[in-house]
Amino acid sequence: IRDERRDSSENLVKNANCSSMDGYSTWIAPWLTDKGRKCSFYLDKTTGCGDLTSLCADSVENGCFTTHVEGVKTGELYAFLTDASGRTPTVSMFWCKDGKGVFSIPESRAQLKPGDGSGWRQIRALWTVPEGVDSMAIRLEAKLERGEKVYYDNVRVYKVR
C-alpha cells in the first residue's frame, strides 16, 4: 500500500516557501536577551529567492527558526534543501520521539563556506532515520554579528526511499 502523504515528490515542510511565519518557531539563547542585545526574527517581505518573502534573522548572536517533519520511520532516507543568503548560513537537524528531542543521537549539520553575504546559495543534506525516533526538527540557524542578517527560503524535505 502506498502512503500518498509520503510520495517522494511531495515537500514535507509546511509553508516551505516562507510566505508567513506559520510552521516555524524561533529561539534566541536566553543569556543573550539578558545582555540586552537587540535582535529579531521576522518575515521579510522584500527579499526572497524566487518571490518577495523569506525568513530573516537580524543581529541574532545565537538562535534559530525551527520546523518539524512528523511521521518518519527507521531506515527511511530524506533529502533536505533550502535557499539561504548571508555570510554563514547553517542548518542543523535533530531527531525527536513523541515531540521531545532524542539528544543521545548526534545532530546533523550542514553549513555553507563563509561568503560575502550577497546572493542566494543552496544548502543540501541527506538524512537516514535511526531507530527510536518519529520526527525530525530542522533548525535554520543564526550566529550573527550586530547588523548582520541571514535569510532562508524554499525549505524542502523529500522522502527519497
Side-chain angles (χ1 to χ4, degrees):
I1 297 176
R2 187 170 164 189
D3 181 351
E4 293 300 323
R5 191 182 83 76
R6 301 316 250 183
D7 183 323
S8 63
S9 65
E10 178 188 356
N11 185 357
L12 303 174
V13 175
K14 180 180 181 179
N15 189 23
N17 68 351
C18 303
S19 60
S20 71
M21 293 288 289
D22 188 34
Y24 297 90
S25 60
T26 60
W27 176 84
I28 296 176
W31 61 89
L32 297 175
T33 53
D34 292 344
K35 290 191 327 189
R37 180 172 178 157
K38 187 174 180 168
C39 56
S40 61
F41 290 100
Y42 61 93
L43 177 70
D44 188 294
K45 296 182 180 180
T46 62
T47 307
C49 184
D51 61 16
L52 292 178
T53 60
S54 62
L55 302 176
C56 181
D58 184 350
S59 302
V60 177
E61 186 178 345
N62 188 350
C64 61
F65 292 97
T66 304
T67 190
H68 297 267
V69 174
E70 307 290 333
V72 301
K73 296 182 176 87
T74 302
E76 292 177 333
L77 177 66
Y78 289 88
F80 168 84
L81 304 96
T82 190
D83 297 307
S85 180
R87 194 175 50 79
T88 56
T90 303
V91 172
S92 62
M93 187 279 304
F94 62 95
W95 300 105
C96 301
K97 176 72 174 173
D98 300 326
K100 296 181 181 171
V102 179
F103 298 106
S104 59
I105 302 170
E107 71 178 25
S108 297
R109 297 180 63 77
Q111 180 175 5
L112 293 175
K113 291 181 180 179
D116 65 7
S118 65
W120 289 93
R121 301 182 288 162
Q122 193 171 81
I123 299 175
R124 301 175 192 173
L126 289 173
W127 298 317
T128 301
V129 180
E131 288 186 43
V133 302
D134 59 14
S135 65
M136 63 176 82
I138 301 163
R139 294 185 292 212
L140 310 172
E141 296 185 3
K143 296 188 185 312
L144 309 170
E145 301 294 327
R146 288 183 197 273
E148 186 179 5
K149 295 180 182 181
V150 65
Y151 299 86
Y152 293 98
D153 202 356
N154 305 312
V155 182
R156 302 168 311 274
V157 173
Y158 300 100
K159 181 179 173 191
V160 176
R161 61 169 166 79

